[in-house]
Amino acid sequence: MNELKDQVCSSWFAPVGSASDYPLLSKWVIYGEIACSSSCPGPSDEISPIYSLWATFISLYIVHYVVERSTGRALTYPLSVEEYEKLKWNQMKPDFLDMVPWYSGTSADLFKTVFDLLVSVTVFVGRFDMRMMQAAMSRVHEGAQQDDLLYDHLSEKTDLWFDFMADTGDGGNSSYAVARLLAQPFLRLINDDSVLKLPRGDLLLIGGDLAYPNPSRFTYERRLFCPFQYALQPPAWYKPDQIAVNKPELPKGVSELKEYEGPQCFVIPGNHDWFDGLHTFMRYICHKSWLGGWFMPQKKSYFALQLPKRWWVFGLDLSLHADIDVYQFQFFSDLVKTKVGENDSVIIMTHEPHWLLDWYWNNISGENVSHLIRDYLKGRCKLRIAGDLHHYMRHSCVPSDGPVHVQHLLVNGCGGAFLHPTHVFGNFSQFYGKTYECKAAYPSFYDSSRIALGNILKFRKMNWQFDFIGGIIYFILVFSMFPQCKLDHILQDDSFSDHLMSFFGTVWNSFVYVLEHSFVSLTGVVLLLIASIAFVPSKLARRKRAIIGILHVSAHLASALILMLLLELGLETCIRHKLLATSGYHSLYQWYRSVESEHFPDPTGLRERIEQWTFGLYPACIKYLMSAFDVPEVISVTRSNICKNGIQSLSRGGAIIYYASVFLYFWVFSTPVVSLVFGSYLYICINWLHIHFDEAFSSLRIANYKSFTRFHINPDGDLEVFTLAIDKVPKEWKLDPDWDEEAKKPPKWSHLRKHPSKWSASAIQQDPVNTVRIVDQFIIRQTEEHDYAYI
């Protein structure tokens, strides 16, 4: 044991060589020899205490560093001035989430969304309906006033301002930008030569889809509540985890709901809110009292609001049926019979705009809603508002003979989600047997078609996660084609045209080989074809869907075969010029050993002893590690062996190594192409065929073009409608100094503050308060049935 210890100490920790191999200063530091001015007669075995102290210090420092990093103790150390300023700057910015990556094949949220949707369709649709559960739990008798569904506390006001928005909770920047506008005490706007000052709405109506991609505690808290709380803070005494048992839970000093003068909020669920059977919606909307600084007295997922001057709002819950249930229909029909007067005006709020979607899909939905409007309201529905489509469009009925069931149709789903196109719905004109005219669209039809061009130019930039799936699909399509050994006819042609003809001839032959002989590639082609045909919207006939799917798959297959052949040509060229496959799998390691022996001599035989003590792990680990990083050489050597001896000459492990190596390079080459082909497909479909309006714009994840609609019931009983929009959403925010200064003063309700929102845009000229503009404005007269006043 002593001999082994002496050998380890003298061979491992002692410096290489003897004292005679070092200059005077180093000789003294290491060996402590200061008396010998010339070369010493023999090697010294005595190590200097200075050298031992230095080695001990280095060893302790290494151990200290490892322990410090592994235990996290470095977090307790005081920060430098630069680190402190950086941390302080990060804390002075909001932690908003990015737009949902809908084409990410690695997102757990998207997989959960698909799972929740499948469960909702198979379980909740037609089997369990939360709306029926709400009706069963309502402790009222038939014909009695339902206090948990009807709210009339605003009906005695002389006038009323209220807002409508929908489809929020996607990107934090866009959702907060809209919430910031909603929270301002007033908005100052310039309309032509006049200046309008629009006060904040006393009531906020949200038309569904509160958080994307699925309803969960995380998405509701981070994508919905967080932006609204930054825009308008809840009361200081409010606890986020508090459950509202007996709503409305009024603040102290307020005895009844009509006495509360702050902004209020009523919400209907959308299809995304129904993915979990409305569980999260009930928990966060019906069982909580505050959305930021907006008070929520709502108890159920649908409601009726009696507003001043004989105006009503019916908030309908369509679930995933795109229609109201029988209990909901009974409530609203009874309300029309007993409460709604003959000269009253009703606003119907739904999540989905049936008039546009039914026209687009050539479908009929919402029969109960239609029955309620046509046979019960009988012309008293002056306006229908909805979200779901993330744009703004307004259609107004063209005056004609006969009854008008709905005067105006308004869609505004620009509350924070990605943008939807408008030009796809430009030909809509008929609803309930009447002719409608498009009075406003935001963005315009021209801008909408121009934005779609981003699928070609920006698809990969916006959806880089899609590369993972796209590269795998392309590799499966050409898996049976590797390797291509007979490429002489391409390389030996004389002219460029001959090269080109030979190249595409080989591509065609590869395609024929896939159809006739391959198994893996043919299976991939068939599965991709089925998926592509199913991906085409059912709006088209089966024949057209099949043609589009075949053309789509053909483009992908052709691109994959071309990339495969280009990769094989590159390898073949390198092999012919002896740049690859010159000395076997371990050529990089052999080069390393030659350089090591030349520039790093080993006079003490240390490397041999290490190899002996590690039982050959050194240098075997280095050898195979270098081979793993020398992927082109591995591919080239294996490819040459296959071309000479056939694929059967490879062992199973060798085949796995070869195809894994090929996949690495082919995946890198194919990812830009697969995104380009798929993005071009979406562009052609949306602009030429007017299909895939959802898929073609969700890919772009556009946070801009956001809007909401502000209503005013004036003292005359007319409804003034203003749609306010911001063309560009800020990406950088800073702490609003006015808000910070006001927050330091004695606390008061956030809606009473002059500056209620915590964050403002870093560039003041980009702040939503300064860039908001009116994109549509009109008046709905209550007294005259067909009197439309457009401004």
Side-chain angles (χ1 to χ4, degrees):
M1 181 61 65
N2 293 330
E3 294 179 359
L4 177 61
K5 184 171 65 173
D6 295 339
Q7 185 178 9
V8 170
C9 292
S10 60
S11 302
W12 282 57
F13 296 103
V16 177
S18 62
S20 60
D21 298 324
Y22 294 88
L24 179 61
L25 180 60
S26 300
K27 187 187 307 181
W28 173 77
V29 171
I30 299 174
Y31 290 98
E33 297 182 0
I34 56 175
C36 191
S37 58
S38 59
S39 61
C40 294
S44 174
D45 294 332
E46 298 295 333
I47 304 300
S48 170
I50 298 177
Y51 182 78
S52 299
L53 184 63
W54 175 83
T56 304
F57 172 78
I58 292 298
S59 301
L60 291 176
Y61 179 80
I62 294 174
V63 172
H64 175 74
Y65 180 84
V66 172
V67 173
E68 175 185 283
R69 295 299 175 180
S70 61
T71 59
R73 186 170 175 268
L75 299 177
T76 63
Y77 284 7
L79 299 175
S80 63
V81 176
E82 294 79 7
E83 292 174 337
Y84 175 78
E85 291 297 331
K86 184 178 180 180
L87 180 62
K88 180 181 177 181
W89 174 252
N90 290 333
Q91 292 177 346
M92 300 293 284
K93 296 189 297 183
D95 52 344
F96 290 147
L97 298 178
D98 293 332
M99 304 289 286
V100 174
W102 293 100
Y103 285 84
S104 172
T106 59
S107 174
D109 280 341
L110 297 182
F111 283 110
K112 184 179 184 302
T113 301
V114 174
F115 176 78
D116 288 344
L117 180 59
L118 292 176
V119 173
S120 298
V121 171
T122 56
V123 175
F124 296 114
V125 175
R127 292 172 175 83
F128 174 80
D129 196 329
M130 180 61 74
R131 299 174 300 180
M132 297 182 183
M133 182 68 69
Q134 293 178 81
M137 294 176 63
S138 181
R139 296 175 296 177
V140 296
H141 300 287
E142 185 177 357
Q145 178 177 343
Q146 299 190 11
D147 294 333
D148 54 350
L149 295 175
L150 173 60
Y151 301 87
D152 59 356
H153 58 286
L154 300 172
S155 60
E156 298 179 359
K157 291 181 175 291
T158 56
D159 69 334
L160 181 71
W161 290 86
F162 62 98
D163 299 325
F164 171 77
M165 66 168 294
D167 300 274
T168 185
D170 189 352
N173 293 324
S174 55
S175 298
Y176 175 74
V178 176
R180 174 171 167 80
L181 293 175
L182 293 169
Q184 299 307 303
F186 64 88
L187 294 175
R188 180 184 176 92
L189 303 110
I190 299 177
N191 186 28
D192 297 332
D193 296 332
S194 61
V195 178
L196 296 178
K197 188 176 180 180
L198 307 183
R200 176 177 53 219
D202 300 313
L203 175 66
L204 172 61
L205 303 175
I206 302 181
D209 279 357
L210 306 182
Y212 292 86
N214 55 61
S216 65
R217 178 175 182 175
F218 175 81
T219 55
Y220 264 58
E221 291 181 353
R222 292 297 306 278
R223 295 188 180 274
L224 173 64
F225 279 81
C226 178
F228 276 80
Q229 289 172 354
Y230 281 144
L232 192 67
Q233 291 183 332
W237 46 263
Y238 175 69
K239 298 179 180 179
D241 297 332
Q242 181 178 349
I243 297 177
V245 179
N246 298 313
K247 296 183 70 173
E249 294 187 335
L250 298 171
K252 294 181 179 180
V254 179
S255 59
E256 54 182 345
L257 187 56
K258 64 174 60 178
E259 296 179 0
Y260 179 70
E261 298 181 353
Q264 303 172 34
C265 179
F266 286 82
V267 187
I268 60 172
N271 57 304
H272 282 266
D273 303 307
W274 266 96
F275 284 176
D276 67 344
L278 212 64
H279 172 76
T280 307
F281 179 90
M282 296 296 294
R283 177 182 178 184
Y284 280 87
I285 302 300
C286 298
H287 295 158
K288 289 186 180 294
S289 296
W290 296 91
L291 174 62
W294 286 269
F295 181 62
M296 294 191 298
Q298 175 181 347
K299 301 177 183 179
K300 302 295 175 62
S301 63
Y302 55 93
F303 53 84
L305 294 171
Q306 186 176 1
L307 304 182
K309 307 300 180 180
R310 305 193 310 275
W311 280 93
W312 295 77
V313 172
F314 289 179
L316 311 183
D317 179 6
L318 302 181
S319 180
L320 296 175
H321 302 268
D323 203 358
I324 59 176
D325 62 302
V326 61
Y327 299 101
Q328 197 173 171
F329 179 85
Q330 181 181 3
F331 164 72
F332 286 109
S333 59
D334 290 344
L335 188 64
V336 172
K337 293 177 183 178
T338 58
K339 295 290 184 179
V340 180
E342 292 295 330
N343 295 321
D344 290 2
S345 300
V346 178
I347 301 172
I348 298 291
M349 179 174 70
T350 59
H351 171 62
E352 293 183 349
H354 293 145
W355 55 95
L356 287 181
L357 294 178
D358 287 350
W359 167 84
Y360 179 83
W361 295 107
N362 192 22
N363 189 22
I364 297 177
S365 63
E367 285 128 352
N368 291 343
V369 177
S370 177
H371 183 36
L372 177 67
I373 293 175
R374 302 176 71 172
D375 300 330
Y376 283 84
L377 290 176
K378 298 179 179 179
R380 284 174 284 182
C381 180
K382 301 295 181 68
L383 174 66
R384 284 197 63 178
I385 56 177
D388 191 54
L389 296 177
H390 310 160
H391 59 228
Y392 175 78
M393 292 189 76
R394 174 172 67 91
H395 293 83
S396 298
C397 184
V398 178
S400 62
D401 296 334
V404 178
H405 298 290
V406 183
Q407 291 184 6
H408 302 275
L409 305 170
L410 187 150
V411 182
N412 193 346
C414 302
F418 65 88
L419 183 67
H420 269 147
T422 56
H423 67 284
V424 173
F425 304 92
N427 295 328
F428 167 81
S429 61
Q430 295 291 323
F431 185 61
Y432 288 160
K434 291 295 181 179
T435 301
Y436 286 79
E437 182 182 359
C438 182
K439 294 295 184 179
Y442 179 78
S444 66
F445 295 158
Y446 171 77
D447 289 339
S448 177
S449 60
R450 179 180 55 84
I451 291 171
L453 186 63
N455 278 288
I456 299 178
L457 305 177
K458 301 179 181 179
F459 182 88
R460 187 172 187 240
K461 178 181 178 181
M462 302 302 299
N463 305 279
W464 55 269
Q465 301 96 331
F466 184 73
D467 291 349
F468 182 76
I469 293 179
I472 294 177
I473 292 175
Y474 266 35
F475 182 71
I476 293 175
L477 294 179
V478 296
F479 177 83
S480 303
M481 299 296 101
F482 289 105
Q484 293 287 313
C485 299
K486 300 178 181 179
L487 301 177
D488 295 341
H489 60 288
I490 299 178
L491 299 174
Q492 292 177 359
D493 288 330
D494 296 331
S495 63
F496 177 76
S497 59
D498 292 337
H499 284 297
L500 204 58
M501 291 295 294
S502 299
F503 179 84
F504 285 104
T506 305
V507 172
W508 174 256
N509 294 333
S510 300
F511 172 71
V512 173
Y513 180 85
V514 169
L515 298 180
E516 293 182 350
H517 300 94
S518 70
F519 294 98
V520 177
S521 296
L522 182 60
T523 302
V525 171
V526 172
L527 292 178
L528 183 61
L529 181 60
I530 295 173
S532 298
I533 295 176
F535 184 63
V536 179
S538 58
K539 174 184 179 180
L540 301 180
R542 291 183 179 179
R543 182 179 178 182
K544 292 183 178 179
R545 294 175 63 191
I547 293 174
I548 294 174
I550 291 172
L551 293 176
H552 188 194
V553 172
S554 299
H556 283 298
L557 181 58
S559 301
L561 291 173
I562 290 173
L563 290 173
M564 176 275 302
L565 197 56
L566 289 175
L567 178 60
E568 287 293 297
L569 281 174
L571 292 172
E572 181 70 20
T573 303
C574 291
I575 292 173
R576 292 195 174 198
H577 289 81
K578 297 184 178 181
L579 299 176
L580 293 173
T582 57
S583 56
Y585 291 107
H586 304 293
S587 58
L588 182 62
Y589 175 72
Q590 294 173 3
W591 171 84
Y592 160 76
R593 290 299 298 266
S594 63
V595 173
E596 183 188 41
S597 60
E598 180 180 355
H599 297 281
F600 300 96
D602 184 18
T604 61
L606 178 61
R607 282 192 287 269
E608 293 182 2
R609 285 193 285 263
I610 294 177
E611 182 178 357
Q612 179 182 359
W613 293 335
T614 58
F615 302 99
L617 292 177
Y618 173 86
C621 291
I622 297 178
K623 180 178 180 181
Y624 289 101
L625 188 63
M626 287 187 171
S627 297
F629 280 96
D630 193 11
V631 178
E633 186 70 17
V634 172
I635 297 175
S636 302
V637 173
T638 309
R639 181 180 181 275
S640 299
N641 294 336
I642 294 175
C643 291
K644 291 180 181 178
N645 305 318
I647 189 67
Q648 64 277 4
S649 62
L650 288 182
S651 63
R652 181 173 298 179
I656 292 175
I657 292 174
Y658 169 70
Y659 284 110
S661 302
V662 171
F663 169 76
L664 292 176
Y665 272 79
F666 186 79
W667 184 84
V668 173
F669 292 154
S670 62
T671 48
V673 179
V674 64
S675 297
L676 178 63
V677 173
F678 188 74
S680 301
Y681 165 80
L682 292 178
Y683 170 75
I684 293 173
C685 287
I686 189 64
N687 271 8
W688 295 5
L689 305 176
H690 286 182
I691 60 175
H692 287 308
F693 72 88
D694 203 10
E695 296 83 358
F697 269 64
S698 63
S699 63
L700 300 176
R701 300 163 63 188
I702 297 173
N704 299 323
Y705 299 99
K706 294 295 164 276
S707 69
F708 69 97
T709 301
R710 179 156 290 177
F711 300 91
H712 179 216
I713 302 176
N714 61 28
D716 295 330
D718 297 332
L719 184 67
E720 302 174 351
V721 186
F722 308 87
T723 296
L724 313 178
I726 49 175
D727 297 332
K728 189 173 182 179
V729 171
K731 297 181 180 179
E732 296 292 335
W733 305 89
K734 65 178 181 180
L735 184 67
D736 190 341
D738 296 326
W739 175 90
D740 190 34
E741 183 65 26
E742 195 172 5
K744 297 176 182 178
K745 298 179 181 179
K748 58 182 177 180
W749 289 88
S750 58
H751 66 269
L752 299 178
R753 292 183 177 180
K754 184 178 180 181
H755 305 281
S757 300
K758 183 176 182 178
W759 310 105
S760 61
S762 297
I764 189 172
Q765 65 274 13
Q766 296 180 358
D767 195 90
V769 176
N770 299 323
T771 60
V772 63
R773 63 186 182 94
I774 298 177
V775 295
D776 188 25
Q777 179 181 352
F778 66 103
I779 298 176
I780 303 177
R781 307 288 184 186
Q782 187 184 58
T783 56
E784 299 182 28
E785 183 178 358
H786 299 296
D787 183 11
Y788 304 120
Y790 304 113
I791 299 179

